[in-house]
Amino acid sequence: MTDAASSASVTTRLFGFAAALSCLALGLITLYSSGVGLIDPKLHRAAGFGLALIVAVSVSQKRRGGTTPLHLGLDIALIIAGLWSIWSFYFVQTEMETALYDVTNRDAWPALAGLVVFLELCRRLWGWGLFCVGTFGVVYLLFGQDLPGILAHSGFSLKEVAEALWYNTNKGVFGSITNIVLSTVFIFIIFGVLLEGTGAGDTLLKFAFLATRRTRGGPAHAAILASSMFGTMSGSTVANIVGTGTFTIPMIKKRGFSPTFAAGIEATASSGGQIMPPIMGAAALVMADLTGAGYLNIIVAALLPALFYYFSLFAAVTVEARRQGIEVQEMTVDDQITRTDLINSVLFIGPILVVIGSLVAGLSTSAAGFYAVVVLLVLSVINPEVRGDPARLWKSFLKGAESGATLLIAIAAIGILVGSLDSTGLGLKLANVIASIRGESLFSALLVAMAGALILGMGMPTLPAYLIIILVMGPAIQELGVSMLTAHMFVFYYGVASSLTPPVAIAAYAAAPIAQANPLMTAFMSFRLGMAKFIIPFIFAFYPTILIIEQFSLLPFLWIVARTCFCIWLFSSALSGFDRRRLTVPEIVVRFAAAFACLATDPMIHLPAIAIGLALIAFDIHAGRAKAAMSEAPK
């Protein structure tokens, strides 16, 4: 080994050690701020980004695979420039608190250096999509005055750009979204990773297989059930796929389903974990703060739409099993439910009850997360594997802090976009454009919003996708008379659905290699199976009573619930072209039409549609029985 290579190796190890210490510090700061006492906001944000900077550089080195002296030099330069810019933010904010201080041209240079550093780290960790989003924010502020039409603004000097995007605690990199992530989201990220590390996920899988062992779908139904519960803990689609898919996908294939279907159902089920209460992941926590609705209200509002989504997946698997002739059979699982598994079930039941109980008791969301972490750590000793290897808790804690640090890098890019849109008023201008396109129809307006949301969120993680979509599309949707919570839920669903939308369906691409399936075909399969996720937001936009906390009335609530379930069955069977037998093309077309008409607000439309749907199902049952009788008759 050459001296240069040896030196690079030593430096890389030092980076790794510094990153581990940074993760530890970030985790301890999160625990302290969530459960012990508040930290000065400017110090909290500066320290959070400073530690995240070191972690992000180390993570990018690992992903790069190899490190050359040139790469190390660039990494060191990034850290120095980043820490300089963060110190400048802290210094200027301190001066503003103690005296009348205006940002100067000299302050602009460290701010620009910080923007470059965090955009480069965002490119390394999150890809070109978020990098382009953040870069657009900077370039638009600097040169947008020369653009034509509504894109033009009054112009910003270098100092004003720095003040809008860097030296600001309401918007920009260190703005309110960063505060929400540091004070609320971080503790739940650590909680989710710890929950997985204590072995709760393995026990969860066993219970899911036990509950679905007598269904037609078998392991496919188990994958849906496990992913809904596991996803609400992890809050990450890809982590959910990796955590459950490596076990469920091979068993789904073994049951007789195609590799493409196995990967598709796991991708759709895993993506739904983020809409499934009670945890739901980072985006729901941010939504609670942005809307002011409170986390408990978000959980209640999200419950029924999430159950509809998973009902649609259960229906899709049942129909597919019928189509392929897969019958109910007793499943054989190597690891049956044991007394230890029953005891370990406390690992996920206990902390989740603590979260709900803390919220009901009126504690803050971050405090609920803190007490859940404490209870989980105390309960973890009941798992023999944890007692045999306590270091797994330590590793999970550091892994959670690392996940939070990399998320914070993405939030920097989102903060830049927030600062740019807020400073220029571009978001309101786009809302006016959408208003002119939509006309007077709420349905057409929501279609435009859906298309824009899917395009804006394509290829991005859920939280950045949700934030970008709500910033751009939110004002336009609220102008239609839709409440703030409904508007946020609407775009949140499409932020999640964008992970299933071809051609950039990141959930499908994560599941396809596990099933050894074609990624693009898996993406289209996921899109078909998860089609309900594209319909459900329209349902609660027109019928907000489904959100329970919005305009709730019992009889209308029960009526739309029944109609939605009926619509989902018609829709799922039409998509598969199969119910109790293979459907003809006219039957498929009529089922689609009846399914959509069932949801119409006018009783003169949905009542005949329900009657037609019932007639179709009755005819299918009769035809299926006749076909079965003919096949069983002696020849």
Side-chain angles (χ1 to χ4, degrees), residues 4 11 18 22 93 198 205 242 331 385 427 442 599 602 612:
T11 309
S22 298
Q93 285 297 319
T198 55
L205 268 175
V242 173
M331 288 185 58
E385 294 182 7
L442 173 60
L599 300 175
D602 188 351
I612 292 170

Side-chain angles (χ1 to χ4, degrees), residues 376-398:
L376 177 62
L377 291 175
V378 171
L379 291 175
S380 65
V381 297
I382 69 176
N383 188 347
E385 294 182 7
V386 174
R387 294 198 301 272
D389 182 20
R392 62 189 294 173
L393 293 179
W394 171 255
K395 292 174 184 175
S396 296
F397 182 76
L398 294 181

Side-chain angles (χ1 to χ4, degrees), residues 370-608:
F370 171 78
Y371 288 119
V373 168
V374 172
V375 169
L376 177 62
L377 291 175
V378 171
L379 291 175
S380 65
V381 297
I382 69 176
N383 188 347
E385 294 182 7
V386 174
R387 294 198 301 272
D389 182 20
R392 62 189 294 173
L393 293 179
W394 171 255
K395 292 174 184 175
S396 296
F397 182 76
L398 294 181
K399 181 182 175 183
E402 182 182 293
S403 298
T406 55
L407 176 63
L408 199 58
I409 300 300
I411 295 302
I414 300 300
I416 292 171
L417 181 66
V418 171
S420 179
L421 293 179
D422 187 74
S423 300
T424 60
L426 181 61
L428 293 176
K429 293 178 184 177
L430 290 174
N432 292 331
V433 171
I434 294 170
S436 65
I437 294 173
R438 73 171 191 249
E440 299 300 320
S441 167
L442 173 60
F443 180 72
S444 62
L446 292 176
L447 276 179
V448 173
M450 178 192 76
L454 290 175
I455 293 169
L456 289 170
M458 197 173 290
M460 290 191 185
T462 302
L463 178 57
Y466 157 70
L467 288 170
I468 291 172
I469 295 165
I470 196 62
L471 288 170
V472 177
M473 312 299 297
I477 298 174
Q478 286 181 247
E479 281 187 7
L480 305 170
V482 175
S483 71
M484 178 184 288
L485 176 61
T486 304
H488 276 254
M489 285 289 290
F490 186 89
V491 300
F492 172 51
Y493 258 70
Y494 288 114
V496 176
S498 63
S499 68
L500 299 174
T501 307
V504 191
I506 55 176
Y509 293 161
I514 302 174
Q516 297 179 331
N518 180 284
L520 188 59
M521 296 307 295
T522 301
F524 283 109
M525 177 63 76
S526 302
F527 184 72
R528 176 172 77 81
L529 293 170
M531 190 64 74
K533 197 179 287 184
F534 298 87
I535 299 173
I536 290 169
F538 282 87
I539 299 175
F540 60 67
F542 282 96
Y543 300 97
T545 186
I546 277 183
L547 300 180
I548 300 177
I549 64 172
E550 293 269 306
Q551 304 174 27
F552 182 77
S553 181
L554 183 60
L555 288 179
F557 170 80
L558 295 175
W559 181 227
I560 187 56
V561 166
R563 285 158 55 197
T564 301
C565 292
F566 189 59
C567 164
I568 286 172
W569 180 260
L570 289 175
F571 198 69
S572 297
S573 58
L575 280 172
S576 295
F578 201 94
D579 196 336
R580 292 177 179 272
R581 61 184 176 84
R582 187 173 299 279
L583 302 176
T584 64
V585 173
E587 285 179 303
I588 292 173
V589 172
V590 176
R591 282 193 181 224
F592 272 127
F596 284 114
C598 281
L599 300 175
T601 55
D602 188 351
M604 298 298 291
I605 298 175
H606 69 241
L607 289 176

Side-chain angles (χ1 to χ4, degrees), residues 228-245:
S228 67
M229 294 185 288
F230 191 86
T232 197
M233 298 188 305
S234 71
S236 167
T237 298
V238 175
N240 199 356
I241 290 169
V242 173
T244 60

